Amino acid sequence: MKVVVDMNQCQDHGQCVFAAPDVFRFDDDGHLAYVPDPDESLREQVEEAADVCPLQAIRIEA
Ligand code: SF4
């Protein structure tokens, strides 16, 4: 699957990191980093992350 985060929207609060820790994390600078092509088995986690993102910054493209 393909995931895109609009980094202009993202404010690094990290709800997605809690919802899908295998896909989203914070880098050493405290900014969001993520796997753009996570395994299909992680889809439910990613959908949950997209749901909880307060800025609707996470888009699932495929
Ligand atoms: S939940 Fe949304 S705004 Fe918060 S870190 Fe994740 S993508 Fe960014």
Side-chain angles (χ1 to χ4, degrees):
M1 63 185 295
K2 294 261 178 275
V3 177
V4 177
V5 177
D6 182 345
M7 298 308 278
N8 293 320
Q9 296 270 355
C10 174
Q11 291 184 0
D12 298 322
H13 293 309
Q15 282 88 335
C16 58
V17 178
F18 290 107
D22 294 329
V23 179
F24 302 94
R25 65 183 179 84
F26 287 118
D27 66 16
D28 294 340
D29 296 325
H31 294 304
L32 184 70
Y34 65 100
V35 181
D37 56 351
D39 191 83
E40 191 58 36
S41 64
L42 296 169
R43 180 174 292 271
E44 226 170 273
Q45 273 191 40
V46 175
E47 284 176 350
E48 173 71 15
D51 277 353
V52 297
C53 175
L55 295 151
Q56 301 288 295
I58 301 171
R59 208 167 66 234
I60 299 168
E61 295 208 321

